[in-house]
């Protein structure tokens, strides 16, 4: 901790107490660690990381008057926890996407954009005609189900049924 970064704390009675970051840590560190562990339900190691990052964030703030240091510390810790969870969900989504993309060593398995376009064209061409009509109007012409139903002279339910069959066909074909 940096003792040269003083933070002024105003006590509840309104009197100013000059406190350094070290003083705030000594006074509130254990409390914050317990709060993070209990309230956020994290493992002790993660709680320690959040507490440490909380004080690092506090150290970067300019000297200011803090009326309630515990409120500020808990807000910073909660924001760090939420940011960490958001980052983890984004990373998990990226990892899931990477599993679908061939790795550099397996590029011979990957399709070029042109090969993919030909494969999609063939997939649509092989689809039963009634499903294909609905699929093409929806996915390539961007018509709504109501517009497709009017265009083909069928009910919206028929459009929905045919679209579900077309999508199921695509999924089954691509899995094979």
């Amino acid at each position: 901790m940096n003792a040269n970064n003083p933070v002024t704390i105003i006590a509840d009675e309104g009197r100013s107490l000059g406190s350094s970051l070290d003083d705030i840590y000594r006074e509130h560190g254990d409390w914050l660690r317990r709060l993070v562990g209990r309230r956020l339900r994290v493992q002790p190691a993660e709680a320690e990381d959040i507490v440490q990052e909380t004080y690092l964030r506090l150290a970067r703030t300019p000297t200011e008057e803090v009326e309630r240091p515990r409120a500020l510390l808990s807000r910073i810790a909660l924001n760090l926890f939420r940011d960490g969870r958001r980052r983890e969900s984004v990373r998990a989504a990226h990892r899931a996407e990477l599993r679908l993309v061939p790795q550099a060593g397996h590029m011979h398995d990957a399709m070029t954009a042109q090969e993919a376009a030909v494969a999609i064209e063939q997939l649509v061409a092989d689809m039963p005609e009634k499903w294909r009509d609905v699929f093409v109007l929806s996915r390539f012409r961007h018509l709504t189900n109501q517009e497709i139903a009017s265009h083909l002279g069928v009910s919206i339910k028929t459009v929905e049924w045919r679209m579900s069959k077309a999508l199921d066909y695509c999924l089954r074909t691509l899995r094979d």
Side-chain angles (χ1 to χ4, degrees):
M1 295 293 152
N2 183 357
N4 297 330
N5 185 4
V7 176
T8 303
I9 297 178
I10 300 196
D12 292 333
E13 305 85 47
R15 56 191 166 88
S16 178
L17 304 171
S19 293
S20 70
L21 191 57
D22 284 337
D23 294 336
I24 294 173
Y25 180 77
R26 276 193 290 281
E27 187 174 339
H28 303 289
D30 290 334
W31 166 84
L32 184 60
R33 198 171 293 103
R34 285 189 308 274
L35 177 78
V36 168
R38 184 178 63 245
R39 186 172 177 200
L40 303 179
R41 296 183 184 122
V42 296
Q43 297 297 320
E46 186 178 1
E48 187 61 41
D49 289 344
I50 292 172
V51 169
Q52 183 177 12
E53 184 63 29
T54 298
Y55 281 98
L56 287 173
R57 293 257 175 114
L58 187 62
R60 288 192 299 245
T61 61
T63 303
E64 61 186 0
E65 293 184 355
V66 178
E67 291 182 28
R68 291 178 276 158
R70 286 187 174 193
L72 177 61
L73 291 169
S74 63
R75 175 55 51 197
I76 293 170
L78 180 60
N79 289 342
L80 287 167
F81 173 77
R82 287 178 178 160
D83 290 346
R85 290 301 186 255
R86 272 193 292 268
R87 273 192 304 278
E88 272 306 309
S89 68
V90 168
R91 286 180 185 143
H94 286 295
R95 282 192 298 269
E97 287 178 21
L98 288 176
R99 280 186 228 119
L100 300 176
V101 175
Q103 300 300 316
H106 305 283
M107 289 307 269
H108 61 278
D109 295 336
M111 289 185 169
T112 65
Q114 185 177 8
E115 291 170 331
V118 169
I120 290 171
E121 187 176 323
Q122 188 61 48
L123 174 72
V124 173
D126 291 344
M127 194 179 293
E129 183 179 358
K130 290 182 179 183
W131 300 352
R132 180 178 56 237
D133 292 343
V134 170
F135 184 81
V136 168
L137 291 172
S138 174
R139 298 301 190 228
F140 298 110
R141 288 230 177 127
H142 308 289
L143 297 180
T144 65
N145 287 353
Q146 177 65 49
E147 293 169 331
I148 295 169
S150 295
H151 181 75
L152 297 176
V154 296
S155 71
I156 294 175
K157 287 291 184 190
T158 300
V159 170
E160 291 170 352
W161 183 83
R162 288 179 182 175
M163 187 59 162
S164 71
K165 291 296 186 182
L167 291 172
D168 186 53
Y169 173 83
C170 291
L171 185 61
R172 280 185 288 116
T173 305
L174 291 173
R175 281 186 182 161
D176 294 339

